[in-house]
Structures are given as structure tokens and as C-alpha cells.
Amino acid sequence: MNPETERTQPAGMIFDLKRFAVHDGGGLRSTLFLKGCPLRCPWCQNPEGLEKEPLLWYDPSQCMRCAACVSVCPQNALSMTPANGNSPERIHMVPSACSLCGKCEEACPAAAIEVRGRRIGVQEAVSMLLRDRIFFRDSGGVTLSGGEVLLQWEFAAAVLAGCKAQGADTAIETSLMGPPRAVEELMKVTDHFLIDIKIFDPEKHRQIIGTDNRRILANYEMLLHGNADVLVRTPLIPGYTADDENIRSIARYIVSQDPDARYELLNYNPLCRSKYEALERPYPVDEIRPLSAEEMEHFYEILREEHVPHIIT
Ligand code: SF4
Ligand code: SF4
């Protein structure tokens, strides 16, 4: 890419790159995570991706309790808190005081503290995503996830166009909460859309997630009218999404829209709990446990009753 083109292309804010991913589309994939999300799902698996801006990230399991970070911080944003009950000694962060200067990250001998989130150009993103392309073979490729990809759709579209130009298969994981223009543009460069429909009732969607789902459903229908390859997914969260009426309604709706619908139910994954600890944020669904095999089977039976043509397990 010539320097002039690079200058005029949008930059993006990212927070992670997952290499050799196996759940973000077909085959082995490289997945780039974009920052910022308009939704607030209480069970969010990537809380570090919610805000658009970078944030300070601390991993207590890596920390050696040397306090090097505390001593270099020019803003006094860090302190060492003593062990308390079951909680071991750890670094306490005051995000409002932090200027994101990165000095703590440089000083840390254990890579336990870092500024997570950085702005990158399109060409750098394409290079990161294609570094492992030798392993993609026929079915793998690159995926953009988040956060919500549609919030940075111009950057995303340029990155995926760059990957496609080099022959890579492209996918997006999205809630579809974004402007129709974003969906329209991304359809031109995206081979597969992995979309979430979490709650069918618009009012319940608004109460739990913070906004109703009309835009999401309209964007889904736009994808279908454009003959996009779409996989619909619902995370099964007891007390929020995992109830018969919700799953039946989503199944009935997608079958009415797409006679060839593909639908995947995702069991609740509690592994993200440690991320909330790292951010010193309360984990809103702390009491919830994954569904048993019998409970999953119960929901699959609903999909069969509603004649979902392709149930992805
Ligand atoms: S990024 Fe800078 S201001 Fe923020 S905690 Fe680290 S050293 Fe302090
Ligand atoms: S510098 Fe790193 S290892 Fe040392 S206390 Fe801070 S976060 Fe922990």
C-alpha cells in the first residue's frame, strides 16, 4: 500500500488478537478484537472491549507483588492492597487518575499490568491477521470481533478488503447493532456473518441490554436480502436468554425469514469471571452456571420442533 493510501485510510482501536482461533468461524482463524460496544449485556465475555478508549488492565495471577509499577506511576494511580480474607494482596487501580502513559507496563517484570487498547492502521491490522495464513488452508481465515465491529465499520471494511485482496476468507462476529450503511459496506468484503440474536422481545431486550432490538433485526433481514452467509447464535444465559419462549421465538422468526437458516446455541461460559477481577468490576452474573447436557438438549428439542433446518452443535 502506498503511503498516501495509508494516510487516508481510517485507523482503528483494537484490544486483542487471537491466533489459531477455532470458534470464530470455519477452520483455523486469526481474530482481531475491536474496541467499543453500544450494548451492555450483563454476561459480556469481553468487558475490556466495552469502552471505545484504552484502559488499564491488571492480571493478579501473573503479578509478583514487586510494586515496581506503583513506584513508577507519575499519577499515583496504583497502590498495593493487602490480602483480605480470600483475596490475596494485589494492585489496586484508580482508572480516573490514570493518564495511560504506559510507564507501569514498561516497568513490570511479569507483564501483569498493561494499557489495553491501541490505535492501529489498516495495513498493520492486515499484516497481523495474515501472519498465520499458512495455517488457514481451505476453510480458515480472518475474523473481526469485539466489542462491536459495526462501531468501527470503515476501519473494519478496509481491513477485510485488504485481507480479501490477498485471498483470505473473511468473517465478522457482530451483534448487528449499528447503522445500515455499515452492514451494506461490510457485506461487500465479508464472506461470513456470525450474528447474535440474544433476546427476541424488544422491551425485554431494552431492559436487560440497554436498547431494543429493532435495528438488529432490520440489519439481519438486510443481510438475508443481500444473500449474505449468516449464522445466527444465541448465548444461553439462565435468567436472561435461556428460556423456552425466547428461544422458540427466535427460532420461529429466523425460520420465517430464512428457509435455510443456521442456528447455534452457545452454552454460558464462566471463564470471563477473571477479567472482571482484573478490572476490579463486579461480575453481574456471578451466580450463574453453565447448562447441563440435558438442559442443552431441551433447547435443541425446541429448535427441532420449530423446524430449524440447520442446528449447529
Ligand atoms: S499507565 Fe501511567 S498513569 Fe496509568 S497507572 Fe500506569 S504508570 Fe500510572
Ligand atoms: S510491576 Fe508487575 S509484577 Fe510488580 S506489582 Fe506491579 S503488576 Fe505486579
Side-chain angles (χ1 to χ4, degrees):
M1 188 176 296
N2 74 48
E4 184 56 33
T5 310
E6 178 79 300
R7 251 197 311 279
T8 54
Q9 285 197 320
M13 179 65 75
I14 64 158
F15 67 94
D16 203 3
L17 173 75
K18 190 161 66 173
R19 301 169 68 188
F20 309 112
V22 292
H23 297 295
D24 303 335
L28 276 182
R29 307 191 78 84
S30 290
T31 303
L32 190 65
F33 292 82
L34 277 53
K35 259 183 130 334
C37 183
L39 304 182
R40 286 297 178 269
C41 306
W43 57 87
C44 179
Q45 301 282 301
N46 294 321
E48 74 274 39
L50 288 173
E51 291 88 11
K52 289 183 200 157
E53 300 307 322
L55 49 65
L56 199 59
W57 175 265
Y58 167 69
D59 183 350
S61 69
Q62 299 291 322
C63 178
M64 298 157 57
R65 278 76 185 170
C66 68
C69 54
V70 177
S71 54
V72 298
C73 178
Q75 306 291 334
N76 294 322
L78 304 174
S79 58
M80 185 74 78
T81 58
N84 181 9
N86 288 334
S87 307
E89 189 181 38
R90 63 161 288 159
I91 293 296
H92 170 64
M93 307 175 291
V94 181
S96 59
C98 173
S99 64
L100 301 172
C101 70
K103 289 191 171 141
C104 53
E105 181 175 340
E106 285 167 26
C108 178
I113 193 163
E114 65 176 278
V115 175
R116 187 160 285 193
R118 71 183 179 96
R119 192 163 290 283
I120 64 169
V122 171
Q123 193 51 49
E124 183 181 356
V126 170
S127 301
M128 287 166 74
L129 282 163
L130 295 182
R131 184 165 54 170
D132 297 319
R133 63 182 306 177
I134 193 171
F135 300 104
F136 294 168
R137 307 239 167 95
D138 292 339
S139 57
V142 306
T143 301
L144 296 186
S145 185
E148 174 47 62
V149 174
L150 269 54
L151 279 192
Q152 301 189 54
W153 66 267
E154 288 164 299
F155 171 70
V159 171
L160 294 181
C163 291
K164 271 200 90 58
Q166 297 195 48
D169 181 89
T170 58
I172 291 178
E173 289 185 317
T174 172
S175 71
L176 285 183
M177 180 54 83
R181 168 90 195 278
V183 177
E184 209 177 290
E185 292 300 319
L186 285 166
M187 277 171 68
K188 297 173 186 169
V189 289
T190 306
D191 295 312
H192 318 284
F193 286 83
L194 287 69
I195 73 154
D196 275 7
I197 300 181
K198 305 166 208 280
I199 296 173
F200 191 69
D201 179 75
E203 180 53 24
K204 193 172 170 199
H205 196 283
R206 191 188 61 73
Q207 284 169 7
I208 294 175
I209 298 180
T211 170
D212 76 47
N213 61 0
R214 291 185 181 92
R215 170 54 46 212
I216 292 169
L217 300 184
N219 281 339
Y220 168 60
E221 291 172 25
M222 184 192 290
L223 285 177
L224 296 179
H225 290 143
N227 290 321
D229 179 59
V230 181
L231 169 64
V232 178
R233 306 192 298 188
T234 300
L236 286 175
I237 316 295
Y240 294 93
T241 67
D243 69 71
D244 293 12
E245 188 186 336
N246 186 46
I247 299 304
R248 192 177 294 284
S249 299
I250 296 172
R252 202 168 279 176
Y253 167 69
I254 64 172
V255 170
S256 74
Q257 296 295 321
D258 180 6
D260 211 24
R262 294 188 300 136
Y263 191 21
E264 181 174 18
L265 300 176
L266 303 171
N267 199 350
Y268 166 65
N269 182 349
L271 286 179
C272 64
R273 181 175 282 118
S274 61
K275 292 187 173 184
Y276 288 82
E277 286 164 14
L279 293 167
E280 294 188 284
R281 292 182 189 174
Y283 184 41
V285 295
D286 203 25
E287 304 304 316
I288 288 180
R289 55 168 181 76
L291 278 70
S292 66
E294 291 73 26
E295 288 168 323
M296 290 296 294
E297 179 53 29
H298 169 77
F299 287 109
Y300 288 134
E301 183 56 29
I302 291 176
L303 304 198
R304 288 190 286 270
E305 287 168 9
E306 295 301 327
H307 307 292
V308 173
H310 303 287
I311 300 169
I312 310 300
T313 55

